[in-house]
Amino acid sequence: MASKSIINVALVGNPNSGKTSVFNRFTGLNHKVGNFPGVTVDKKIGSISINQHLKAKIIDLPGTYSLYPNSLDEKVVLDILMNKKGEFYPDVVVYVADASNLERHFLLLTQIMDLGIPVILAINMIDLALGEGIHCDEQELQKILDIPMFTINGRTGEGIEDIIKHLPNLEEQDHPPVLDTTKQVENLINELKGELGFDNNYHTLLVAHHYNDLSELTTTDRGLVKQLTEKYQFSSIRNQVDETLQRFDKINTFLTKTVNLIPNKKGSTTDKIDKILTHKIYGSLIYVSILLFMFQAIFAWAEYPMDLIDHGVNALNHFLKGVLPDHFLTSLLTDGIITGLGGIIIFIPQITILFGLIAILEEVGYMSRAVMLSDNVMRKFGLNGRSIVSLISGVACAIPAIMSTRTIGNWKERLITIFVTPFISCSARIPVFTVLIAFAVPKTYYLGIFNLQGLVMMGLYILGALAALISAYILKIILKSKETSYLMMEMPIYQVPYWKNVVITVFEKVKIFVFEAGKIIMIVSIILWALASYGPGDEIQLAEKTVIENNKGTKISEQELEDLIAAKKIEVSYAGHFGKMIEPAIKPLGFDWKMGIALITSFAAREVFVSTMATIYSVGSSDDEKTIIEKMRHEKNPETGQPVYTMAVSLSLLIFYVFAMQCMSTLAVVKRETNSWLIPLYQLIYMTGLAYIGSLIVYNIFK
Amino acid sequence: MHQVKTAIDLLIGEIGILKSFSNQIIAPKFLELGCLPGAKITLINVAPFRSTYFFKINKSRFALRKAEAENLILEL
């Protein structure tokens, strides 16, 4: 070990052991978030320098209770700790244990020790344990366990430095196993060891349990293990129960010697808070209030920074177009790249606010209670209590929302959550809703406070949420699954949020959005720019000439002329041709080819609808929504002479935007998370089909 | 009347002692959470429609569905 210049340090522990804080203490913002190869499980790795000769890669493994996994996350932990040849196989495990509950936290600890991996024990939150009257004789415990041991505090950073200092002096830990698990299955273990060349008994036993989930085994190996377990009639569950009970027996013999409980009279604060927050009436009311507050916050607080970004991007484009030569590169930079970038960063305020609030609720310990309170309703629709986190996140952006379904262990429930989350109205739909509602709905006030336009906006959100729930219900009936679904969730104690964790979580989510969604929005924006800037043959040049000819001698300003040219150009561009091509298909919904173009460009991100409309209606140079609305109001149908944007058309478009799957980035993320092309394809067909039918009905009712 | 008392028969605030599990498949999942025979189980609250139960089991707190909690057989 001394010869290595980079060592792998894996952080392992139960959920709620405070592992995340410890990881953040080790690496700060200096870490990378990604996926473990082949699976969609969050991988967080940070590199730190220990001294001139030694670097450590700190790997944060998902929280798990034992080496008997129940979910994808937990399988990754098992696989990494088992595969000695694997890229992430740790040279040492830093095991984080909650001082208040050592008994339970020691189960996984002793399992890892028995695998023969060197372990450093980090006993966390000792201050809280002391508050509960739990006193631990650390020296005695260290003597019994015979591994390096440190008391740490993930929230203050105390003890972390000691662990880092200890890393260069790692030694092989060569103690007898805590528990000899082989007695009852000696023949099986010996034969497996002989056949596969293993030397560690516990490792071999775990192979007999989990051979289907382990990447270290070849297909032939798996067949062999299967054969042998059948030959010796190995009962996995029976054996797991025995092992767990025996380990706890052993652990209790350690702990009775080292841990003293001096009960104090004051009851636990968490229990007192839980009496109210998980109460069936008060708890539910508080829960709904918190949700309402969150929605309110996203709208109210994000408005100002979003306006600022919008104006900033427009001003920058104006400025660049003014100083740079009139060249296609200028157009690519301003209308393609900068507009695309603007379309990405405009969402950052809402995403930051929503994920900030979610992270605070998570840190405080409330999120698990929200999951508990939602589980019943969610389950009726084939979802899981944990789905609520994704559905709420979907209000900001479906991409991080879909990625947060990873905590749902049951595949069917996870799939349904992924499938329906894009129905939740995301922030990209807001600008579209705002413009269209201005047409469809008069600005009437009821009772002096309820603005009818505001009520319709809320109705659209409810419609999206209903579509999500009803679709989930249909999927629940269609999809068959033998997998049992579990909630079984541990509730952490309530504590004051640790701000560093909140900041880091938000930073990670925004980064995910910018890189995952951003790169696709960027690419699609550039493609759309090309489609809107070029046309077949010389139609574009001809269009420009025609407009100039036609307006010779009229008194329109240069700006107006440019806008007219831009409008004519997009009409004859490839995008315009596409719009006209799909016009027959969307005519029954009341849409014309101009809206067709906007529907197509919306695939980059829905809010592109507004800017596309601006260009088509030759107010491209204006960044004011009112101008666009004014222009749209005066748009007449060339055949009938009636206004194009009637109430029926606007409502029809609104319904279309509520339901349709128009976001390439979401489809790409769904493809990756489900590892299938079919699911995003179904999603696209289903959602867009629903949008079409919905719009058709609404248009014909109001026509 | 059945003679078995399970965790869902507890009243809010009542404490029971875990005797055994009625389902062998779910048993190891409870065990690894430190929920062993002899554990002290307190019912803290019940979610609306009696679908989800909130227990304190020894020192930890858990949300369990009705179908899960039913497997926890208590001492009479």
Side-chain angles (χ1 to χ4, degrees):
Chain A
M1 207 173 296
S3 60
K4 278 197 179 177
S5 60
I6 300 178
I7 55 168
N8 279 346
V9 179
L11 283 185
V12 184
N14 286 187
N16 303 319
S17 57
K19 211 160 52 66
T20 313
S21 304
V22 175
F23 179 76
N24 290 342
R25 280 288 165 189
F26 266 111
T27 65
L29 272 176
N30 180 24
H31 67 260
K32 288 204 177 89
V33 186
N35 281 332
F36 284 109
V39 282
T40 50
V41 170
D42 286 336
K43 176 187 76 176
K44 293 209 269 184
I45 294 188
S47 286
I48 54 170
S49 280
I50 298 169
N51 57 36
Q52 288 154 297
H53 315 290
L54 191 63
K55 277 186 176 167
K57 257 193 195 167
I58 314 283
I59 306 163
D60 189 21
L61 293 184
T64 179
Y65 293 104
S66 74
L67 291 179
Y68 292 83
N70 294 318
S71 68
L72 213 58
D73 285 31
E74 297 176 359
K75 278 182 188 158
V76 168
V77 180
L78 172 77
D79 195 46
I80 286 175
L81 296 179
M82 291 287 280
N83 189 356
K84 285 191 179 170
K85 296 198 184 80
E87 185 190 348
F88 304 107
Y89 185 77
D91 296 294
V92 61
V93 162
V94 173
Y95 189 85
V96 184
D98 174 1
S100 308
N101 205 345
L102 288 179
E103 181 190 10
R104 203 192 68 204
H105 286 254
F106 276 10
L107 174 69
L108 178 60
L109 171 72
T110 63
Q111 289 178 333
I112 294 171
M113 288 168 69
D114 287 354
L115 274 182
I117 304 173
V119 182
I120 296 174
L121 175 60
I123 297 189
N124 196 12
M125 303 190 272
I126 213 146
D127 48 335
L128 291 176
L130 280 172
E132 288 174 38
I134 299 167
H135 299 264
C136 175
D137 182 348
E138 289 144 27
Q139 279 167 343
E140 184 64 23
L141 187 61
Q142 176 155 28
K143 226 183 274 170
I144 296 173
L145 290 172
D146 191 25
I147 52 172
M149 194 175 110
F150 298 89
T151 55
I152 59 161
N153 189 331
R155 293 165 77 92
T156 61
E158 191 190 315
I160 304 288
E161 209 43 47
D162 299 333
I163 295 180
I164 294 176
K165 275 189 201 135
H166 183 81
L167 289 176
N169 317 318
L170 287 176
E171 288 167 5
E172 294 287 344
Q173 292 171 4
D174 197 20
H175 37 64
V178 179
L179 185 74
D180 183 8
T181 42
T182 51
K183 271 176 214 145
Q184 295 139 354
V185 283
E186 212 175 351
N187 293 333
L188 171 66
I189 298 290
N190 286 337
E191 196 164 343
L192 275 175
K193 277 165 77 176
E195 291 282 352
L196 297 168
F198 295 147
D199 51 7
N200 179 300
N201 281 348
Y202 190 55
H203 180 257
T204 315
L205 179 71
L206 288 176
V207 167
H209 279 286
H210 307 303
Y211 56 91
N212 275 326
D213 293 325
L214 298 173
S215 62
E216 60 175 326
L217 299 180
T218 62
T219 322
T220 342
D221 291 344
R222 284 181 195 164
L224 184 82
V225 181
K226 186 170 189 281
Q227 221 175 6
L228 287 177
T229 51
E230 278 161 9
K231 176 178 160 196
Y232 289 102
Q233 295 176 335
F234 176 69
S235 157
S236 180
I237 289 192
R238 176 86 245 144
N239 190 279
Q240 185 193 349
V241 170
D242 288 347
E243 183 202 322
T244 312
L245 288 173
Q246 287 169 22
R247 278 194 193 276
F248 276 121
D249 273 347
K250 197 85 181 203
I251 290 165
N252 276 318
T253 63
F254 303 159
L255 293 180
T256 42
K257 284 181 213 158
T258 51
V259 176
N260 267 317
L261 180 66
I262 305 165
N264 47 16
K265 284 211 181 100
K266 73 170 197 221
S268 143
T269 325
T270 295
D271 287 343
K272 283 179 201 155
I273 300 173
D274 268 330
K275 282 218 170 75
I276 299 164
L277 287 190
T278 62
H279 188 274
K280 62 178 174 185
I281 297 163
Y282 310 128
S284 307
L285 286 176
I286 293 170
Y287 179 36
V288 173
S289 318
I290 289 177
L291 283 186
L292 289 177
F293 169 76
M294 284 171 78
F295 290 131
Q296 176 64 27
I298 318 179
F299 287 115
W301 301 349
E303 207 183 324
Y304 182 70
M306 285 174 86
D307 282 347
L308 214 63
I309 293 168
D310 200 22
H311 289 302
V313 169
N314 283 322
L316 181 66
N317 267 344
H318 265 296
F319 170 75
L320 287 176
K321 277 183 188 166
V323 293
L324 293 172
D326 190 12
H327 190 261
F328 93 94
L329 280 177
T330 308
S331 165
L332 172 65
L333 177 70
T334 53
D335 296 332
I337 296 172
I338 294 178
T339 307
L341 273 178
I344 300 162
I345 55 175
I346 189 93
F347 296 122
I348 292 180
Q350 285 193 332
I351 290 174
T352 307
I353 291 169
L354 186 64
F355 283 110
L357 290 172
I358 292 177
I360 291 170
L361 290 179
E362 192 92 59
E363 272 286 303
V364 172
Y366 184 75
M367 218 53 205
S368 330
R369 273 79 179 178
V371 167
M372 174 207 162
L373 290 168
S374 338
D375 187 62
N376 175 43
V377 178
M378 291 289 129
R379 203 152 30 115
K380 289 207 167 67
F381 293 101
L383 301 165
N384 186 297
R386 294 178 176 89
S387 312
I388 197 70
V389 182
S390 306
L391 295 182
I392 296 173
S393 311
V395 176
C397 174
I399 291 153
I402 285 169
M403 291 173 75
S404 66
T405 59
R406 293 171 176 186
T407 52
I408 303 172
N410 179 291
W411 173 239
K412 179 180 166 183
E413 289 171 344
R414 179 163 178 234
L415 186 64
I416 298 180
T417 312
I418 290 176
F419 203 91
V420 304
T421 295
F423 273 121
I424 303 294
S425 283
C426 64
S427 39
R429 287 177 175 104
I430 297 172
V432 184
F433 287 174
T434 315
V435 168
L436 291 173
I437 284 179
F439 281 104
V441 186
K443 224 179 192 161
T444 324
Y445 280 87
Y446 290 106
L447 303 170
I449 41 167
F450 293 111
N451 175 353
L452 187 60
Q453 294 188 336
L455 290 176
V456 170
M457 181 74 128
M458 203 169 86
L460 294 174
Y461 272 83
I462 294 174
L463 193 63
L466 281 178
L469 288 180
I470 294 168
S471 308
Y473 188 75
I474 297 168
L475 283 171
K476 177 191 167 189
I477 297 168
I478 296 173
L479 291 174
K480 295 275 173 277
S481 158
K482 278 184 210 146
E483 218 182 334
T484 335
S485 143
Y486 294 102
L487 177 68
M488 259 194 169
M489 197 171 144
E490 191 187 356
M491 303 278 140
I493 53 165
Y494 291 110
Q495 46 187 344
V496 180
Y498 174 41
W499 294 106
K500 201 170 170 182
N501 286 350
V502 175
V503 171
I504 289 176
T505 310
V506 172
F507 181 78
E508 281 168 2
K509 296 281 181 189
V510 171
K511 217 164 113 181
I512 288 174
F513 168 75
V514 170
F515 287 99
E516 294 291 330
K519 66 180 178 216
I520 291 169
I521 295 180
M522 202 67 225
I523 294 168
V524 179
S525 299
I526 292 173
I527 294 175
L528 289 174
W529 164 82
L531 286 179
S533 310
Y534 296 95
D538 56 353
E539 283 186 38
I540 295 269
Q541 286 82 354
L542 277 178
E544 187 167 355
K545 263 189 207 142
T546 321
V547 175
I548 296 174
E549 295 274 326
N550 288 350
N551 286 290
K552 243 181 202 157
T554 48
K555 274 190 281 175
I556 60 168
S557 71
E558 198 164 317
Q559 185 74 66
E560 283 171 313
L561 184 66
E562 256 172 44
D563 283 346
L564 280 175
I565 293 171
K568 192 68 194 166
K569 270 184 179 171
I570 197 169
E571 186 182 343
V572 298
S573 70
Y574 287 110
H577 283 274
F578 271 125
K580 283 180 177 156
M581 209 162 75
I582 64 166
E583 194 177 46
I586 54 177
K587 208 162 189 179
L589 313 181
F591 306 162
D592 61 12
W593 62 269
K594 293 178 183 175
M595 294 172 213
I597 299 177
L599 293 185
I600 293 170
T601 54
S602 290
F603 267 93
R606 293 176 178 90
E607 92 286 357
V608 172
F609 174 84
V610 178
S611 57
T612 309
M613 280 303 180
T615 312
I616 296 174
Y617 291 124
S618 50
V619 285
S621 55
S622 161
D623 49 23
D624 187 6
E625 264 168 24
K626 280 198 192 93
T627 329
I628 302 166
I629 293 173
E630 207 42 51
K631 196 80 190 182
M632 285 163 79
R633 208 184 287 285
H634 289 119
E635 177 77 1
K636 294 253 163 42
N637 183 325
E639 287 164 34
T640 60
Q642 296 298 310
V644 168
Y645 285 88
T646 57
M647 188 172 148
V649 172
S650 308
L651 283 176
S652 171
L653 262 178
L654 275 174
I655 297 297
F656 197 88
Y657 272 87
V658 170
F659 293 137
M661 172 47 115
Q662 290 170 296
C663 178
M664 288 292 281
S665 330
T666 306
L667 289 172
V669 167
V670 171
K671 194 251 146 195
R672 203 192 56 205
E673 293 292 307
T674 58
N675 202 11
S676 142
W677 283 104
L678 275 178
I679 289 160
L681 191 68
Y682 285 146
Q683 206 169 20
L684 177 68
I685 294 170
Y686 174 71
M687 292 182 67
T688 312
L690 197 65
Y692 193 91
I693 296 168
S695 292
L696 190 67
I697 295 171
V698 167
Y699 180 64
N700 281 296
I701 291 176
F702 288 92
K703 194 166 65 174
Chain B
M1 266 309 278
H2 59 99
Q3 287 297 300
V4 184
K5 183 179 184 181
T6 72
I8 63 164
D9 300 319
L10 288 170
L11 303 170
I12 288 177
E14 193 187 344
I15 299 172
I17 302 296
L18 180 64
K19 194 167 101 185
S20 59
F21 305 97
S22 59
N23 174 335
Q24 291 314 305
I25 294 167
I26 207 171
K29 293 184 197 292
F30 277 112
L31 292 177
E32 68 176 31
L33 297 173
C35 182
L36 307 168
K40 203 174 91 176
I41 301 183
T42 318
L43 178 61
I44 299 187
N45 261 322
V46 184
F49 312 110
R50 296 196 77 80
S51 56
T52 316
Y53 289 70
F54 186 40
F55 295 104
K56 189 166 185 183
I57 303 179
N58 289 339
K59 283 173 222 147
S60 315
R61 297 159 187 88
F62 296 97
L64 301 178
R65 288 179 179 167
K66 191 178 175 195
E68 292 159 359
E70 269 172 348
N71 291 299
L72 301 171
I73 300 172
L74 305 179
E75 310 254 359
L76 282 175

